[in-house]
Amino acid sequence: MFRVAITGLGAVTPVGNSVPEMWEGIKTGKCGIGNITKFDTSEYKVKLAAEVKDFDPSLTMDKSEIRKSDKFSQFAMAAAVEAMNDSGLVSGENIDADRFGVYFGSGIGGMETFINDVIKCHEGGPRKVSPFMIPAMIINMAAGTIAIRFGCKGPAIPVVTACATSTNAIGEAYRAIKHGYADAVIAGGSEAGILPVSLAGFANMKALTESEDPLRASIPFDKERSGFVMGEGAGVMILEEMEHARNRGAKIYGELCGYGSTCDAHHITAPDPDAEGGAAAIRQAYEESGVKSDNIYINAHGTSTPLNDKSETVAIKKALGEELAYKINVSSTKSMTGHMLGAAGAVEAIISTLALKEGVVPPTIGLREQDPECDLNCTPNAAIEKDLELCLSTSLGFGGHNACVAIKKAD
């Protein structure tokens, strides 16, 4: 078995389009939620989203690539370029191309491309549909374009487990390195789903909050929570076999040391109220980490929906035992970023890594009156300093998918 180092980070988020900008926003409780600007919401009850601001795809892609790609792939490439630059890896120079992989997914992929070409076909006939429609919209194309850009000839696998997507991608990449199938992997997820049809779909299933106050919209663990806020963006981690990283003198942020993956097998959208599946995923990651300490931070899935936050609280207690669960810090950074769907897990794993490295527990902003059924230490409203020994990042997806990764300090 091999150990797995984290050697590069990249992010595009509603609170910043780079890791340093994002992390500063998270530490200071910056709210990335605001009125939707991408389209007219006058016929919608939902008015808010967590949009990426001032994103320029031309910084990492040429005009031809941009024209042929969906926004979710553009977010993915920007985050991957930042992470690769951060890592110092160069395929064929300090990493064998055949041992270099990509595990990168999305929850809904190229939805904007699909919508636009359906309209073109309906209004102008089949000849109006772009020849680039299929490669732009399919979910594997973010992984494919990242592999092409960076010469990754090892496994290139797109994971799709709804909102657990990028946590599963990171976890499966971890296992590929741990068991010797790759020396390094570009892992993460992206999403660009703030669109009229997708917003209507989520709104009509009563998943989204109708609050019009950005500071009272995504409020995980609060008694008044009423649904999640759609977010967008991308997160990328470079995972690398520990000795490979050390031998080339890489900067090491931390060690990925545990992973859990389960399914509720309960309901297409609702979490199991008994939370056995979620608890099992957390327990698997925690036990594999080998860390026994009270100095733990959990970046919870924490969507601000009535069912999720309550069942996740149950899951944490069942996984760790109530005595430990009440001692540790929990928070949901979706209170700031909104729910980035397939990108959420990767961005939250990055946040967990930096929390561990800097000894800072991010806050759950907007938490005024905590729900008695969400009674853990949810780190309300302000970050705190804490000498952390382990971070757990959890994600749950429609279909009952549960995923958790564990990160500890590198020796």
Side-chain angles (χ1 to χ4, degrees):
M1 298 291 183
F2 298 94
R3 295 169 64 191
V4 180
I6 300 164
T7 59
L9 304 173
V12 175
T13 80
V15 294
N17 294 342
S18 68
V19 169
E21 185 183 0
M22 178 272 294
W23 178 233
E24 185 61 27
I26 292 296
K27 288 191 294 183
T28 56
K30 178 181 179 181
C31 181
I33 298 165
N35 289 318
I36 294 170
T37 64
K38 295 175 181 289
F39 55 90
D40 180 10
T41 61
S42 58
E43 295 186 7
Y44 290 76
K45 292 182 179 180
V46 173
K47 306 294 185 183
L48 302 178
E51 298 178 343
V52 168
K53 292 88 174 170
D54 303 318
F55 176 74
D56 183 358
S58 68
L59 295 176
T60 53
M61 303 174 80
D62 63 32
K63 289 182 180 179
S64 175
E65 290 175 312
I66 294 168
R67 183 168 62 90
K68 298 174 184 177
S69 64
D70 189 89
K71 183 63 67 66
F72 92 102
S73 289
Q74 295 167 17
F75 287 159
M77 186 60 71
V81 167
E82 182 185 12
M84 282 295 290
N85 289 341
D86 189 32
S87 75
L89 279 173
V90 180
S91 182
E93 293 185 15
N94 57 10
I95 177 72
D96 182 347
D98 293 330
R99 302 278 300 168
F100 195 12
V102 181
Y103 282 59
F104 195 95
S106 177
I108 56 178
M111 181 70 78
E112 184 173 26
T113 295
F114 178 74
I115 291 169
N116 289 342
D117 278 280
V118 166
I119 293 170
K120 289 176 186 177
C121 188
H122 177 70
E123 294 181 348
R127 292 173 181 260
K128 293 296 184 180
V129 173
S130 169
F132 302 116
M133 173 191 169
I134 299 302
M137 65 172 276
I138 52 180
I139 288 177
N140 70 297
M141 199 49 64
T145 54
I146 290 170
I148 292 166
R149 168 69 68 90
F150 298 108
C152 305
K153 296 184 178 180
I157 298 175
V159 176
V160 183
T161 50
C163 304
T165 289
S166 49
T167 300
N168 279 131
I170 290 168
E172 297 300 326
Y174 158 74
R175 284 183 177 168
I177 296 171
K178 179 179 179 179
H179 293 284
Y181 297 107
D183 292 331
V185 177
I186 302 170
S190 63
E191 207 75 84
I194 303 175
L195 301 160
V197 171
S198 49
L199 188 84
F202 279 114
N204 289 349
M205 66 182 294
K206 306 299 182 183
L208 302 180
T209 181
E210 296 178 7
S211 171
E212 296 187 29
D213 180 355
L215 298 178
R216 294 299 293 162
S218 183
I219 48 172
F221 313 118
D222 195 290
K223 282 183 69 173
E224 295 182 0
R225 67 190 186 279
S226 58
F228 72 82
V229 174
M230 284 189 70
E232 61 181 355
V236 171
M237 280 185 148
I238 309 300
L239 305 182
E240 189 172 350
E241 194 276 318
M242 183 68 76
E243 290 308 309
H244 188 283
R246 286 174 171 163
N247 288 340
R248 68 180 186 87
K251 170 178 58 181
I252 297 175
Y253 285 95
E255 179 178 352
L256 197 61
C257 57
Y259 171 49
S261 179
T262 65
C263 185
D264 286 348
H266 169 72
H267 189 271
I268 58 172
T269 57
D272 185 346
D274 292 334
E276 294 293 346
I282 296 168
R283 188 183 303 113
Q284 288 170 14
Y286 174 62
E287 290 181 352
E288 188 178 9
S289 77
V291 175
K292 302 300 178 185
S293 170
D294 296 347
N295 294 325
I296 297 173
Y297 164 56
I298 296 183
N299 188 300
H301 190 56
T303 57
S304 187
T305 60
L307 293 179
N308 176 93
D309 299 0
K310 182 169 63 173
S311 66
E312 193 169 8
T313 300
V314 173
I316 292 170
K317 292 177 182 178
K318 286 187 174 182
L320 303 183
E322 289 199 4
E323 182 179 357
L324 179 57
Y326 283 119
K327 291 180 180 178
I328 67 174
N329 281 87
V330 176
S331 73
S332 172
T333 49
K334 287 183 179 70
S335 59
M336 294 170 272
T337 66
H339 191 350
M340 298 168 66
L341 307 179
V347 169
E348 289 157 12
I350 291 168
I351 290 168
S352 299
T353 300
L354 296 173
L356 181 77
K357 185 174 184 292
E358 295 192 11
V360 175
V361 176
T364 306
I365 70 167
L367 183 51
R368 291 182 184 173
E369 187 175 358
Q370 193 161 328
D371 186 339
E373 293 189 276
C374 305
D375 61 345
L376 301 178
N377 180 1
C378 294
T379 321
N381 301 309
I384 64 166
E385 293 185 1
K386 189 171 184 177
D387 184 17
L388 298 167
E389 296 182 52
L390 183 73
C391 288
L392 300 170
S393 181
T394 66
S395 295
L396 314 175
F398 284 174
H401 305 287
N402 306 296
C404 181
V405 291
I407 302 158
K408 67 180 181 181
K409 293 178 181 178
D411 295 340

